Amino acid sequence: MEARGDLTDAQWERIEPLLPVSSGRCGRWRDHRQVVNGVLHRIRTGVPWRDLPDRYGPWKTVHERHRRWSADGTWQMLLERIQAREDASGTIDWDISVDSTVVRGHHHAAGARHTPPPASGTGRSTGRAAADRPAGGGGAAGEALGRSRGGFTTKIHLSADGHCRILSLVITPGQSADCTQFEPVMDKIRVPRLTTGRPRTTPDSVSADKGYSNRRTRRYLRRRGIPHVIPEKADQTANRSRRGSAGGRPPGFDQDRYKKRNTVERAINRLKAFRAVAARFDKRAYIYLGTLTAAALAIWLRS
């Protein structure tokens, strides 16, 4: 019997062929559908792992599967493959928008152990161990935790298509400026082709708010030939006007196109409907990024 929030049969059929298969050397894996539903239940409700309902099996199994798939990129692979199918059917609106949002980090999210990468020549820095447990960055900043008056914060930088679905995700400490992460967010847009060919990385257009208004961002978009709508800050307008003809022409601005920027705000609202996203409980940055990716995957499957 399906519980509220579990994958439907149609949604499960879309991801079942993409899931990894056990090699059999370490025993059989617990049913993927049961475990995936357990992960999504935890992300949706924010319940502690130990308090997962019994219908999802042992909580340690669900937590360990989520941790491993966050480390080895399985969640990201699933998201990209679903995006590829949507792109092949022409349902992705490539007039995208970029924005960010800050989430509070629970005090349980602090205190992750720093696991430095092994010294070169030890033979332990490659292979399964490195992919299984990525090294910590050292301290809160290395785990994308920033400090504010209210406590720990993490900032989620993202891009969304015209249907309020996440295309790319980047996390940083909460005090990071939006404009510094624009290029990483754009560079993470990578929708594979179902047949041959390079992944699609270039949208039809980009819109963003004034926080992204700077020369570097506009130069980056011009270099890639991407039309963009980013309003100019008041001080930038004043400085350009003060310089006269040396200040150059004002950047183009399409008000009708800018009205579509609400799609990224709505995408953020959808993402934060998952309580383990709206409040960060994961100590390690790669696990929290896996939590975000799994939530984004669920949004794509349900759209």
Side-chain angles (χ1 to χ4, degrees):
M1 180 179 178
E2 292 182 2
R4 187 168 70 91
D6 287 355
L7 295 176
T8 64
D9 291 338
Q11 293 165 356
W12 174 247
E13 288 175 1
R14 297 179 67 187
I15 66 170
E16 182 182 16
L18 309 175
L19 294 173
V21 180
S22 174
S23 63
R25 291 181 298 177
C26 301
R28 295 181 59 189
W29 285 357
R30 181 170 288 273
D31 178 53
H32 275 322
R33 184 170 185 176
Q34 183 185 32
V35 173
V36 170
N37 282 333
V39 172
L40 293 180
H41 176 85
R42 182 262 174 180
I43 295 174
R44 181 176 62 84
T45 62
V47 65
W49 288 106
R50 292 176 182 270
D51 295 337
L52 272 179
D54 293 337
R55 63 177 176 271
Y56 299 119
W59 70 267
K60 288 186 178 181
T61 299
V62 181
H63 173 264
E64 180 64 12
R65 192 82 54 88
H66 176 55
R67 188 194 67 77
R68 284 182 178 272
W69 287 2
S70 299
D72 65 16
T74 297
W75 289 123
Q76 182 63 32
M77 178 273 295
L78 292 173
L79 179 61
E80 289 180 356
R81 294 294 295 274
I82 293 300
Q83 290 173 344
R85 292 182 180 181
E86 294 293 325
D87 187 41
S89 62
T91 59
I92 294 182
D93 183 347
W94 282 100
D95 289 328
I96 74 166
S97 300
V98 176
D99 206 350
S100 68
T101 184
V102 174
V103 299
R104 285 290 177 85
H106 194 272
H107 61 271
H108 289 166
R113 287 184 183 177
H114 174 45
T115 53
S120 60
T122 61
R124 296 164 53 194
S125 60
T126 59
R128 180 178 176 183
D132 181 61
R133 193 177 294 273
E143 299 297 348
L145 281 172
R147 288 187 177 273
S148 68
R149 291 183 179 180
F152 291 109
T153 56
T154 294
K155 181 172 281 190
I156 306 170
H157 308 263
L158 57 91
S159 63
D161 80 334
H163 300 300
C164 312
R165 299 175 297 188
I166 309 299
L167 286 171
S168 61
L169 289 159
V170 173
I171 60 172
T172 63
Q175 70 273 12
S176 299
D178 292 355
C179 60
T180 62
Q181 300 303 313
F182 180 81
E183 292 181 29
V185 168
M186 293 294 296
D187 292 342
K188 279 187 171 291
I189 298 176
R190 183 182 181 278
V191 178
R193 309 287 186 179
L194 288 183
T195 56
T196 58
R198 296 180 179 179
R200 176 160 185 176
T201 59
T202 304
D204 293 336
S205 68
V206 175
S207 64
D209 60 23
K210 291 183 179 180
Y212 298 91
S213 178
N214 58 63
R215 290 183 178 180
R216 180 173 178 174
T217 297
R218 298 183 192 277
R219 189 183 307 118
Y220 171 85
L221 291 168
R222 285 197 301 268
R223 186 171 65 249
R224 296 186 58 185
I226 303 174
H228 57 278
V229 181
I230 303 176
E232 195 175 32
K233 295 180 180 179
D235 61 333
Q236 294 173 347
T237 302
N239 290 337
R240 180 174 45 76
S241 300
R242 190 181 307 115
R243 296 176 62 190
S245 59
R249 294 177 298 177
F253 185 75
D254 185 345
Q255 285 189 336
D256 291 334
R257 171 65 184 92
Y258 189 68
K259 291 178 181 178
K260 294 184 64 176
R261 200 189 67 82
N262 70 83
T263 55
V264 70
E265 305 285 357
R266 288 153 57 196
I268 290 172
N269 288 339
R270 285 187 179 185
L271 199 60
K272 282 190 168 182
F274 295 83
R275 295 188 177 187
V277 169
R280 174 178 170 177
F281 301 103
D282 299 311
K283 290 181 182 291
R284 301 299 303 273
Y286 77 90
I287 297 180
Y288 184 60
L289 184 58
T291 296
L292 293 170
T293 307
L297 173 65
I299 292 172
W300 277 88
L301 290 173
R302 294 168 183 170
S303 65

Short mmCIF file of all heavy atoms in Angstrom, two decimals, residues 28-68:
data_model
loop_
_atom_site.label_atom_id
_atom_site.label_comp_id
_atom_site.label_asym_id
_atom_site.label_seq_id
_atom_site.Cartn_x
_atom_site.Cartn_y
_atom_site.Cartn_z
N ARG A 28 22.41 -9.44 -1.47
CA ARG A 28 21.37 -8.73 -2.22
C ARG A 28 21.03 -7.42 -1.54
O ARG A 28 20.99 -7.33 -0.32
CB ARG A 28 20.12 -9.61 -2.32
CG ARG A 28 20.30 -10.89 -3.11
CD ARG A 28 19.01 -11.67 -3.17
NE ARG A 28 17.94 -10.89 -3.77
CZ ARG A 28 16.67 -11.26 -3.80
NH1 ARG A 28 16.31 -12.42 -3.24
NH2 ARG A 28 15.76 -10.51 -4.38
N TRP A 29 20.77 -6.42 -2.38
CA TRP A 29 20.32 -5.14 -1.85
C TRP A 29 18.85 -5.22 -1.48
O TRP A 29 18.07 -5.93 -2.11
CB TRP A 29 20.51 -4.04 -2.90
CG TRP A 29 21.94 -3.61 -3.08
CD1 TRP A 29 23.01 -4.07 -2.38
CD2 TRP A 29 22.41 -2.66 -4.01
NE1 TRP A 29 24.14 -3.45 -2.83
CE2 TRP A 29 23.81 -2.57 -3.83
CE3 TRP A 29 21.82 -1.86 -4.99
CZ2 TRP A 29 24.62 -1.73 -4.57
CZ3 TRP A 29 22.61 -1.01 -5.73
CH2 TRP A 29 24.00 -0.94 -5.53
N ARG A 30 18.50 -4.44 -0.46
CA ARG A 30 17.07 -4.29 -0.16
C ARG A 30 16.38 -3.59 -1.33
O ARG A 30 16.99 -2.78 -2.02
CB ARG A 30 16.89 -3.51 1.14
CG ARG A 30 15.42 -3.31 1.55
CD ARG A 30 15.32 -2.75 2.94
NE ARG A 30 15.67 -3.77 3.94
CZ ARG A 30 14.82 -4.64 4.46
NH1 ARG A 30 13.55 -4.64 4.07
NH2 ARG A 30 15.21 -5.51 5.35
N ASP A 31 15.11 -3.91 -1.53
CA ASP A 31 14.34 -3.41 -2.66
C ASP A 31 14.53 -1.90 -2.84
O ASP A 31 14.33 -1.11 -1.91
CB ASP A 31 12.85 -3.71 -2.43
CG ASP A 31 11.98 -3.18 -3.54
OD1 ASP A 31 12.26 -3.49 -4.71
OD2 ASP A 31 11.03 -2.44 -3.24
N HIS A 32 14.96 -1.52 -4.04
CA HIS A 32 15.24 -0.11 -4.31
C HIS A 32 14.01 0.76 -4.09
O HIS A 32 14.12 1.87 -3.56
CB HIS A 32 15.71 0.06 -5.77
CG HIS A 32 17.18 -0.18 -5.96
ND1 HIS A 32 18.12 0.22 -5.05
CD2 HIS A 32 17.87 -0.76 -6.98
CE1 HIS A 32 19.32 -0.09 -5.48
NE2 HIS A 32 19.19 -0.69 -6.65
N ARG A 33 12.84 0.30 -4.50
CA ARG A 33 11.65 1.15 -4.39
C ARG A 33 11.34 1.45 -2.94
O ARG A 33 11.00 2.59 -2.59
CB ARG A 33 10.46 0.47 -5.06
CG ARG A 33 9.21 1.34 -5.07
CD ARG A 33 8.13 0.75 -5.95
NE ARG A 33 6.98 1.63 -6.07
CZ ARG A 33 5.92 1.40 -6.83
NH1 ARG A 33 5.87 0.28 -7.57
NH2 ARG A 33 4.92 2.26 -6.89
N GLN A 34 11.46 0.47 -2.07
CA GLN A 34 11.22 0.68 -0.65
C GLN A 34 12.21 1.70 -0.07
O GLN A 34 11.82 2.60 0.68
CB GLN A 34 11.35 -0.65 0.10
CG GLN A 34 11.06 -0.56 1.59
CD GLN A 34 11.31 -1.87 2.30
OE1 GLN A 34 12.19 -2.64 1.92
NE2 GLN A 34 10.53 -2.15 3.33
N VAL A 35 13.46 1.58 -0.46
CA VAL A 35 14.48 2.48 0.07
C VAL A 35 14.31 3.89 -0.48
O VAL A 35 14.41 4.88 0.26
CB VAL A 35 15.88 1.93 -0.25
CG1 VAL A 35 16.96 2.94 0.14
CG2 VAL A 35 16.12 0.61 0.47
N VAL A 36 14.06 4.03 -1.78
CA VAL A 36 13.87 5.36 -2.37
C VAL A 36 12.67 6.05 -1.73
O VAL A 36 12.73 7.24 -1.41
CB VAL A 36 13.70 5.25 -3.90
CG1 VAL A 36 13.27 6.58 -4.49
CG2 VAL A 36 15.01 4.79 -4.55
N ASN A 37 11.59 5.32 -1.52
CA ASN A 37 10.43 5.91 -0.85
C ASN A 37 10.78 6.33 0.57
O ASN A 37 10.29 7.35 1.06
CB ASN A 37 9.27 4.91 -0.83
CG ASN A 37 8.55 4.82 -2.16
OD1 ASN A 37 8.53 5.77 -2.94
ND2 ASN A 37 7.96 3.67 -2.45
N GLY A 38 11.65 5.55 1.24
CA GLY A 38 12.09 5.93 2.58
C GLY A 38 12.89 7.22 2.57
O GLY A 38 12.71 8.10 3.43
N VAL A 39 13.78 7.37 1.58
CA VAL A 39 14.57 8.60 1.46
C VAL A 39 13.65 9.79 1.19
O VAL A 39 13.79 10.85 1.82
CB VAL A 39 15.61 8.46 0.34
CG1 VAL A 39 16.29 9.80 0.06
CG2 VAL A 39 16.65 7.40 0.69
N LEU A 40 12.71 9.62 0.27
CA LEU A 40 11.80 10.73 -0.07
C LEU A 40 10.90 11.08 1.12
O LEU A 40 10.57 12.25 1.32
CB LEU A 40 10.95 10.36 -1.29
CG LEU A 40 11.73 10.20 -2.60
CD1 LEU A 40 10.77 9.84 -3.74
CD2 LEU A 40 12.49 11.47 -2.95
N HIS A 41 10.51 10.07 1.91
CA HIS A 41 9.69 10.36 3.10
C HIS A 41 10.49 11.20 4.08
O HIS A 41 9.97 12.18 4.64
CB HIS A 41 9.27 9.05 3.76
CG HIS A 41 8.50 9.25 5.04
ND1 HIS A 41 7.14 9.47 5.07
CD2 HIS A 41 8.92 9.27 6.35
CE1 HIS A 41 6.75 9.62 6.33
NE2 HIS A 41 7.81 9.51 7.12
N ARG A 42 11.74 10.84 4.30
CA ARG A 42 12.57 11.60 5.23
C ARG A 42 12.79 13.02 4.72
O ARG A 42 12.74 13.99 5.49
CB ARG A 42 13.89 10.87 5.44
CG ARG A 42 14.80 11.57 6.44
CD ARG A 42 15.84 12.43 5.75
NE ARG A 42 16.63 13.20 6.70
CZ ARG A 42 17.59 14.03 6.36
NH1 ARG A 42 17.88 14.20 5.07
NH2 ARG A 42 18.26 14.71 7.27
N ILE A 43 13.05 13.19 3.41
CA ILE A 43 13.28 14.53 2.86
C ILE A 43 12.02 15.37 2.94
O ILE A 43 12.05 16.56 3.24
CB ILE A 43 13.78 14.42 1.41
CG1 ILE A 43 15.15 13.72 1.37
CG2 ILE A 43 13.89 15.79 0.77
CD1 ILE A 43 15.65 13.45 -0.03
N ARG A 44 10.88 14.73 2.68
CA ARG A 44 9.61 15.48 2.68
C ARG A 44 9.21 15.91 4.08
O ARG A 44 8.71 17.02 4.28
CB ARG A 44 8.51 14.62 2.06
CG ARG A 44 7.15 15.31 1.99
CD ARG A 44 6.14 14.43 1.26
NE ARG A 44 5.90 13.18 1.95
CZ ARG A 44 5.03 13.03 2.96
NH1 ARG A 44 4.33 14.08 3.38
NH2 ARG A 44 4.86 11.87 3.53
N THR A 45 9.40 15.05 5.07
CA THR A 45 8.92 15.33 6.42
C THR A 45 9.98 15.90 7.35
O THR A 45 9.65 16.51 8.36
CB THR A 45 8.36 14.04 7.06
OG1 THR A 45 9.41 13.07 7.18
CG2 THR A 45 7.24 13.46 6.22
N GLY A 46 11.26 15.67 7.03
CA GLY A 46 12.33 16.12 7.92
C GLY A 46 12.47 15.28 9.16
O GLY A 46 13.17 15.67 10.11
N VAL A 47 11.87 14.10 9.18
CA VAL A 47 11.92 13.24 10.36
C VAL A 47 13.35 12.73 10.55
O VAL A 47 14.08 12.51 9.58
CB VAL A 47 10.94 12.05 10.17
CG1 VAL A 47 11.38 11.15 9.02
CG2 VAL A 47 10.81 11.24 11.45
N PRO A 48 13.82 12.56 11.79
CA PRO A 48 15.14 11.96 11.99
C PRO A 48 15.20 10.56 11.38
O PRO A 48 14.19 9.84 11.34
CB PRO A 48 15.29 11.90 13.52
CG PRO A 48 14.37 12.98 14.02
CD PRO A 48 13.22 13.01 13.07
N TRP A 49 16.38 10.18 10.91
CA TRP A 49 16.52 8.88 10.25
C TRP A 49 16.05 7.74 11.15
O TRP A 49 15.41 6.79 10.69
CB TRP A 49 17.99 8.65 9.86
CG TRP A 49 18.46 9.48 8.71
CD1 TRP A 49 19.29 10.56 8.76
CD2 TRP A 49 18.11 9.31 7.33
NE1 TRP A 49 19.49 11.08 7.50
CE2 TRP A 49 18.79 10.33 6.60
CE3 TRP A 49 17.32 8.41 6.63
CZ2 TRP A 49 18.69 10.46 5.22
CZ3 TRP A 49 17.22 8.53 5.25
CH2 TRP A 49 17.89 9.55 4.56
N ARG A 50 16.34 7.83 12.43
CA ARG A 50 15.97 6.75 13.35
C ARG A 50 14.46 6.60 13.51
O ARG A 50 13.98 5.57 13.97
CB ARG A 50 16.59 7.01 14.73
CG ARG A 50 18.11 6.89 14.75
CD ARG A 50 18.67 7.26 16.12
NE ARG A 50 20.12 7.19 16.14
CZ ARG A 50 20.82 6.11 16.46
NH1 ARG A 50 20.17 5.00 16.81
NH2 ARG A 50 22.13 6.14 16.46
N ASP A 51 13.72 7.65 13.14
CA ASP A 51 12.27 7.62 13.31
C ASP A 51 11.52 7.30 12.02
O ASP A 51 10.30 7.51 11.94
CB ASP A 51 11.78 8.97 13.85
CG ASP A 51 12.31 9.25 15.26
OD1 ASP A 51 12.64 8.28 15.96
OD2 ASP A 51 12.39 10.45 15.65
N LEU A 52 12.22 6.79 11.02
CA LEU A 52 11.54 6.37 9.78
C LEU A 52 10.53 5.28 10.08
O LEU A 52 10.80 4.36 10.88
CB LEU A 52 12.56 5.84 8.76
CG LEU A 52 13.23 6.83 7.82
CD1 LEU A 52 14.21 6.09 6.93
CD2 LEU A 52 12.22 7.57 6.98
N PRO A 53 9.35 5.32 9.48
CA PRO A 53 8.36 4.24 9.67
C PRO A 53 8.92 2.87 9.26
O PRO A 53 9.75 2.77 8.35
CB PRO A 53 7.20 4.67 8.77
CG PRO A 53 7.34 6.15 8.64
CD PRO A 53 8.81 6.42 8.65
N ASP A 54 8.46 1.85 9.91
CA ASP A 54 8.97 0.50 9.66
C ASP A 54 8.72 0.02 8.24
O ASP A 54 9.41 -0.89 7.76
CB ASP A 54 8.33 -0.49 10.65
CG ASP A 54 8.76 -0.23 12.08
OD1 ASP A 54 9.84 0.38 12.27
OD2 ASP A 54 8.03 -0.63 13.02
N ARG A 55 7.72 0.60 7.55
CA ARG A 55 7.40 0.12 6.21
C ARG A 55 8.54 0.36 5.21
O ARG A 55 8.54 -0.22 4.12
CB ARG A 55 6.12 0.78 5.69
CG ARG A 55 6.19 2.28 5.52
CD ARG A 55 4.90 2.83 4.93
NE ARG A 55 4.90 4.29 4.85
CZ ARG A 55 4.49 5.09 5.82
NH1 ARG A 55 4.03 4.57 6.96
NH2 ARG A 55 4.52 6.41 5.67
N TYR A 56 9.50 1.22 5.59
CA TYR A 56 10.62 1.49 4.69
C TYR A 56 11.85 0.64 5.02
O TYR A 56 12.89 0.80 4.38
CB TYR A 56 11.00 2.97 4.75
CG TYR A 56 9.87 3.87 4.33
CD1 TYR A 56 9.32 4.81 5.20
CD2 TYR A 56 9.32 3.79 3.04
CE1 TYR A 56 8.28 5.64 4.81
CE2 TYR A 56 8.28 4.60 2.65
CZ TYR A 56 7.77 5.52 3.54
OH TYR A 56 6.73 6.33 3.16
N GLY A 57 11.72 -0.26 5.97
CA GLY A 57 12.82 -1.13 6.32
C GLY A 57 13.74 -0.48 7.35
O GLY A 57 13.43 0.57 7.92
N PRO A 58 14.89 -1.11 7.63
CA PRO A 58 15.82 -0.57 8.62
C PRO A 58 16.30 0.83 8.25
O PRO A 58 16.70 1.08 7.12
CB PRO A 58 16.99 -1.57 8.59
CG PRO A 58 16.42 -2.82 8.01
CD PRO A 58 15.37 -2.38 7.04
N TRP A 59 16.26 1.74 9.21
CA TRP A 59 16.64 3.12 8.92
C TRP A 59 18.10 3.22 8.50
O TRP A 59 18.45 4.07 7.67
CB TRP A 59 16.36 4.02 10.13
CG TRP A 59 17.28 3.80 11.30
CD1 TRP A 59 17.07 2.98 12.37
CD2 TRP A 59 18.55 4.44 11.52
NE1 TRP A 59 18.13 3.05 13.24
CE2 TRP A 59 19.05 3.94 12.74
CE3 TRP A 59 19.30 5.37 10.81
CZ2 TRP A 59 20.28 4.34 13.28
CZ3 TRP A 59 20.53 5.77 11.33
CH2 TRP A 59 21.01 5.25 12.55
N LYS A 60 18.95 2.37 9.05
CA LYS A 60 20.37 2.41 8.68
C LYS A 60 20.55 2.10 7.20
O LYS A 60 21.42 2.68 6.54
CB LYS A 60 21.16 1.44 9.54
CG LYS A 60 21.34 1.88 10.98
CD LYS A 60 22.26 0.93 11.73
CE LYS A 60 22.49 1.40 13.16
NZ LYS A 60 23.40 0.48 13.89
N THR A 61 19.76 1.16 6.69
CA THR A 61 19.86 0.81 5.27
C THR A 61 19.46 2.00 4.40
O THR A 61 20.13 2.33 3.41
CB THR A 61 18.96 -0.39 4.96
OG1 THR A 61 19.39 -1.51 5.74
CG2 THR A 61 19.02 -0.76 3.48
N VAL A 62 18.37 2.66 4.76
CA VAL A 62 17.89 3.81 3.97
C VAL A 62 18.91 4.94 4.03
O VAL A 62 19.24 5.55 3.01
CB VAL A 62 16.52 4.27 4.50
CG1 VAL A 62 16.00 5.44 3.67
CG2 VAL A 62 15.52 3.12 4.47
N HIS A 63 19.40 5.22 5.22
CA HIS A 63 20.39 6.30 5.37
C HIS A 63 21.67 6.00 4.61
O HIS A 63 22.22 6.87 3.92
CB HIS A 63 20.70 6.51 6.84
CG HIS A 63 21.81 7.49 7.09
ND1 HIS A 63 23.12 7.08 7.30
CD2 HIS A 63 21.83 8.84 7.14
CE1 HIS A 63 23.88 8.14 7.48
NE2 HIS A 63 23.13 9.22 7.38
N GLU A 64 22.16 4.78 4.71
CA GLU A 64 23.41 4.44 4.03
C GLU A 64 23.26 4.48 2.52
O GLU A 64 24.17 4.92 1.80
CB GLU A 64 23.86 3.04 4.47
CG GLU A 64 25.16 2.56 3.84
CD GLU A 64 26.37 3.41 4.23
OE1 GLU A 64 26.25 4.23 5.17
OE2 GLU A 64 27.42 3.26 3.58
N ARG A 65 22.11 4.04 2.00
CA ARG A 65 21.89 4.12 0.55
C ARG A 65 21.87 5.57 0.09
O ARG A 65 22.45 5.90 -0.95
CB ARG A 65 20.56 3.42 0.20
CG ARG A 65 20.33 3.17 -1.28
CD ARG A 65 21.03 1.90 -1.76
NE ARG A 65 20.68 0.73 -0.97
CZ ARG A 65 19.63 -0.05 -1.22
NH1 ARG A 65 18.82 0.21 -2.23
NH2 ARG A 65 19.41 -1.12 -0.47
N HIS A 66 21.21 6.43 0.86
CA HIS A 66 21.17 7.85 0.51
C HIS A 66 22.57 8.45 0.56
O HIS A 66 22.96 9.21 -0.33
CB HIS A 66 20.24 8.59 1.46
CG HIS A 66 20.20 10.08 1.25
ND1 HIS A 66 19.90 10.64 0.03
CD2 HIS A 66 20.44 11.12 2.10
CE1 HIS A 66 19.94 11.97 0.14
NE2 HIS A 66 20.28 12.27 1.37
N ARG A 67 23.35 8.10 1.58
CA ARG A 67 24.69 8.64 1.69
C ARG A 67 25.57 8.19 0.52
O ARG A 67 26.29 8.99 -0.08
CB ARG A 67 25.33 8.19 3.01
CG ARG A 67 26.68 8.86 3.29
CD ARG A 67 27.43 8.15 4.40
NE ARG A 67 27.83 6.82 3.99
CZ ARG A 67 28.87 6.56 3.19
NH1 ARG A 67 29.58 7.55 2.69
NH2 ARG A 67 29.18 5.32 2.88
N ARG A 68 25.49 6.90 0.17
CA ARG A 68 26.31 6.38 -0.93
C ARG A 68 25.92 7.02 -2.26
O ARG A 68 26.78 7.39 -3.06
CB ARG A 68 26.16 4.86 -1.01
CG ARG A 68 26.92 4.10 0.06
CD ARG A 68 26.76 2.60 -0.13
NE ARG A 68 27.52 1.87 0.86
CZ ARG A 68 28.79 1.51 0.72
NH1 ARG A 68 29.44 1.85 -0.39
NH2 ARG A 68 29.43 0.85 1.67
#
